[in-house]
Amino acid sequence: MATITECRAALKRLSDNLAAADGEVRGAAALDRTLSCHLTDLDTTFTGRLADGRIEVEDTVVGPPPWKAQIRLRMTGDDLVAMVDGDLNFAKAWASGRVGLEAGFRDLLKLRSLL
């Protein structure tokens, strides 16, 4: 099972990947939105922002998200690490319910290029 430290490092790598992206991916990542990522197996939530093409983790809390972020992710720590490492396809994991993504309709349309 992935640790909180490994998951935080995976979010940092994802942030670095988004910052280095171009084209449609860069445009989708350029949103300015609050973000939460609930790791169900660790019962831990990372909260922060997606801003200027980067994920900025501001806090780590025990339990589910303390407030409703504009973009909300839910998955296991292992799935987060596997997605960032390229071993798990986000779209397939989302379609199967293995990963949860909730956001407003407009944000979902923008985020689809990241999927």
Side-chain angles (χ1 to χ4, degrees):
M1 178 164 62
T3 66
I4 292 172
T5 302
E6 291 168 328
C7 293
R8 189 176 189 88
L11 285 173
K12 169 87 170 77
R13 287 193 314 274
L14 177 58
S15 179
D16 292 345
N17 292 345
L18 291 174
D22 56 6
E24 277 186 62
V25 172
R26 180 70 177 161
L31 293 170
D32 184 8
R33 300 287 186 271
T34 57
L35 176 73
S36 68
C37 180
H38 181 67
L39 304 173
T40 56
D41 58 334
L42 299 172
D43 196 28
T44 299
T45 302
F46 292 106
T47 62
R49 296 195 74 79
L50 175 63
D52 298 323
R54 297 195 67 87
I55 296 170
E56 301 169 5
V57 175
E58 297 169 351
D59 201 6
T60 305
V61 296
V62 175
W67 43 268
K68 186 176 179 180
Q70 293 166 307
I71 299 171
R72 298 168 302 282
L73 293 162
R74 175 196 39 79
M75 68 194 75
T76 67
D78 288 340
D79 286 345
L80 172 62
V81 171
M83 280 191 304
V84 173
D85 289 345
D87 298 328
L88 177 64
N89 180 280
F90 182 88
K92 288 181 183 178
W94 184 37
S96 71
R98 189 169 166 178
V99 170
L101 169 65
E102 297 177 48
F105 183 70
R106 288 184 146 177
D107 289 339
L108 286 173
L109 287 177
K110 280 273 237 189
L111 292 170
R112 68 187 165 120
S113 64
L114 296 176
L115 309 177

